Amino acid sequence: MTDKMLEAFDGTRKAGSIASGALDEVAKIIKPGIKTDDIDKLCFEFINDNHAYSAPLFYRGYPKSCCTSTNHIVCHGIPRNKFLKEGDIVNVDVTAQKNEWHGDTSRMYFIGEVSTKAKKLVRTTYEAMIKSIKILKDGIQIGDIGYVIQNHVEAAGFSVVRDFCGHGIGRNFHEPPNILHYGESKTGEKLKTGMIFTIEPMINEGNYETKILNDGWTAVTKDKKLSAQFEHTIGITDNGYEIFTSSKKELDFPPYKI
Ligand code: MF3
Ligand code: CO
Ligand code: CO
């Protein structure tokens, strides 16, 4: 790797560890009766306390420091004065900007006991992301990522959202290339050592179609069925990959044992 690549990796590692640290903190407080606004406050403060900036805040007019997407919300749910209740599933998505570099990550959380169907959807989404990460190395193609995710998800009877994708990340929050979570193997741009991007599959219990609510942000499933998502920021190394947003507390996947 070149010095420039090492500098980007070092910066993204620091930003990523703050973002994943925020999600570890969320795991400690999230339960029935807390508000999505409480999650936003915690993320804002944790990221600030770590001398970083919450990249979503004021990004293209976005009003909050994180996204909280419950149940049929696919992504970009805006934290507000809304109580979480037993049985909800929630994605919390945070992005820390530290010394110019960005780390973007999200996890699902269970609020109390959730349905068997919800557990299966969340597990399948996590497995699909991890399976696609494990194939990453210099020379594979972007289509290989989507192919692995789509296969895993459709075998379980779920569908891959088409309207949102992963993205390059670096000094900018969102950069080329787009990382589609569906597709054909041996198609698309080749991954190269030094590339940094996110994989963030949104997986629906029913149909993959989404629509945006009147607030201009909240994306929901058209059929009002459940949706789940996980996200990591990852870099391609000389001999494979590095995940920059892993939990340091093994809080990778719910239910979280705190
Ligand atoms: N964190 C989201 C992503 O994974 C983007 C959120 S943009 C916001 O790319 F403005 F809604 F915060
Ligand atoms: Co992202
Ligand atoms: Co994100």
Side-chain angles (χ1 to χ4, degrees), residues 93-95 104-106 167 173-174 198 200 229 231:
D93 190 339
V94 299
T95 308
D104 186 5
T105 184
S106 81
H167 49 92
F173 188 173
H174 296 104
T198 72
E200 49 180 301
Q229 179 180 27
E231 176 176 23

